Amino acid sequence: NKLLVSDTGNSRVLIWNTFPTRNGQPADVVLGADDFDTWPNYFDLKNERDPKKRIYWPWDIWTDGQRVMVTSTVDGSVLIWNSFPMKNNQPADLVLGYEDFSTRFVQHPENPMADLGTPRAIAFDGKHLVVGDYSTRRAFVWNGFPTRNGQAADFTIQVKRVEDEPYNDIMGVAIKDNRLFALSAQQVYIWNSFPEHGEKEDLRVGQTSRPTSDADSMSGPFGVATDGTRLIVADTNNNRVLIFNKVPTEPGAKADIVLGQPGFGVNTFIARNSCGGPGAYSNGEQLAIGCDFGRRIYVYGHLPDESRAEADVVINATWLGGVQQ
């Protein structure tokens, strides 16, 4: 009956003790800030550094209504509340990613199985805790709910889009009926039974080529959910949500429903030329656009003369603020 939201850019978590029933209904509890009038900044690495309370860029949340876990992305930790938080800025009980709270923000553990990079996704099914990580390009797995600070993972899982490229980051995870779902790059990875020792996935859904806005393509999928029958994917960089009416059993499975655009293949400009925080440069004949959020550089051999013109070259990149030639 509760609702929890990772208010990422504000470095806090908002909690509604009863599910909202009206527009603009305020949250009841805030974590990571003293009150609702305090606005933490994840760039602030000096002030408000209480290691049991501070949250930096929370990306994902897990709860069973009694316990809560939050990924604190920037400092590489997972915070755990063993009882449901009932007051503002309630301190966490446990921390993963550091030996204990006294070493948080100070020194990462030497054991790589306990040293999280930038945790983005979290799921727990009563048997396994899975934390998907961006910078270490893997998912950390605990056999059971952690009971002590700095508890090392039991094993890790890694995925590849194609064999001749490095391992990919894992941005979304879900567990249901002993099946594991993970999102990375342009695909959904599915294990039909939980990989108890880090086994390779049974199935990959989604194209490995340049993404389009078709029903079988994704671009930077970040969130995944399932009720055991249907599969829901937040196709983030395509600005849409894909719904499969049945959990896919074949690599070529296509989504049945799309939210965020009128139909499949309609919003091709957003899919193929998505760009957040753009920076542009032109020499009068050619055009280059660097995208912060899209993490790409779009190069046009000639200045576009129509809306939704597709770039001639697309270069994957890291975070960008501008380009020059």
Side-chain angles (χ1 to χ4, degrees):
N1 295 322
K2 301 177 174 67
L3 175 67
L4 290 81
V5 174
S6 55
D7 188 8
T8 309
N10 286 326
S11 286
R12 63 182 188 173
V13 171
L14 300 176
I15 299 175
W16 284 259
N17 289 329
T18 58
F19 202 86
T21 57
R22 65 182 190 276
N23 292 331
Q25 184 171 328
D28 300 295
V29 177
V30 60
L31 301 178
D34 290 332
D35 51 49
F36 293 103
D37 295 322
T38 303
W39 301 91
N41 186 330
Y42 83 89
F43 286 113
D44 183 359
L45 302 180
K46 296 181 179 180
N47 300 317
E48 305 172 27
R49 298 270 287 177
D50 187 328
K52 291 187 176 182
K53 297 180 179 179
R54 196 71 167 90
I55 305 173
Y56 284 108
W57 224 43
W59 195 272
D60 202 5
I61 302 171
W62 173 90
T63 185
D64 59 0
Q66 298 177 348
R67 299 167 294 185
V68 173
M69 291 186 284
V70 175
T71 60
S72 183
T73 304
V74 172
D75 68 284
S77 65
V78 170
L79 301 176
I80 300 175
W81 287 259
N82 286 325
S83 59
F84 198 89
M86 299 301 294
K87 61 182 181 180
N88 291 341
N89 218 14
Q90 183 169 323
D93 299 300
L94 296 174
V95 62
L96 302 178
Y98 294 86
E99 293 181 0
D100 51 41
F101 284 107
S102 67
T103 59
R104 190 184 176 204
F105 311 135
V106 179
Q107 183 178 3
H108 286 272
E110 295 182 359
N111 182 356
M113 298 297 285
D115 189 0
L116 304 179
T118 51
R120 296 295 184 98
I122 191 165
F124 180 65
D125 66 346
K127 297 179 181 179
H128 305 97
L129 169 63
V130 180
V131 176
D133 200 272
Y134 177 79
S135 62
T136 65
R137 297 177 179 270
R138 66 190 65 207
F140 294 83
V141 182
W142 287 260
N143 293 325
F145 197 90
T147 57
R148 64 182 184 276
N149 289 326
Q151 185 170 330
D154 294 289
F155 62 94
T156 62
I157 296 170
Q158 292 182 288
V159 298
K160 286 185 177 183
R161 188 182 60 158
V162 293
E163 290 302 320
D164 60 349
E165 74 176 13
Y167 287 108
N168 296 322
D169 47 61
I170 297 181
M171 301 294 289
V173 293
I175 312 171
K176 184 67 175 179
D177 299 333
N178 204 41
R179 289 185 292 186
L180 175 63
F181 305 84
L183 300 183
S184 181
Q186 298 160 322
Q187 295 179 307
V188 179
Y189 295 76
I190 301 175
W191 289 259
N192 293 325
S193 60
F194 196 92
E196 299 287 350
H197 305 286
E199 294 87 350
K200 187 177 180 181
E201 74 281 351
D202 297 297
L203 177 67
R204 288 180 291 168
V205 177
Q207 296 180 354
T208 59
S209 59
R210 178 182 175 186
T212 69
S213 63
D214 297 329
D216 60 346
S217 68
M218 302 168 211
S219 178
F222 282 179
V224 60
T226 181
D227 61 359
T229 300
R230 290 160 291 198
L231 184 69
I232 304 170
V233 177
D235 189 10
T236 307
N237 288 347
N238 278 339
N239 299 307
R240 64 182 186 172
V241 172
L242 301 176
I243 301 176
F244 298 80
N245 288 335
K246 294 182 179 179
V247 172
T249 58
E250 299 292 338
K254 297 178 182 291
D256 300 287
I257 298 171
V258 59
L259 304 179
Q261 62 188 45
F264 297 109
V266 173
N267 208 355
T268 54
F269 178 77
I270 290 180
R272 299 182 183 181
N273 299 277
S274 58
C275 188
Y281 178 81
S282 175
N283 58 8
E285 296 180 358
Q286 299 161 306
L287 173 66
I289 300 176
C291 300
D292 187 318
F293 180 72
R295 283 178 287 177
R296 294 172 180 160
I297 301 172
Y298 295 97
V299 181
Y300 298 80
H302 300 281
L303 294 181
D305 56 5
E306 62 179 358
S307 298
R308 301 189 176 185
E310 292 191 20
D312 298 293
V313 178
V314 180
I315 303 170
N316 290 324
T318 56
W319 294 102
L320 293 165
V323 291
Q324 284 292 325
Q325 185 178 34

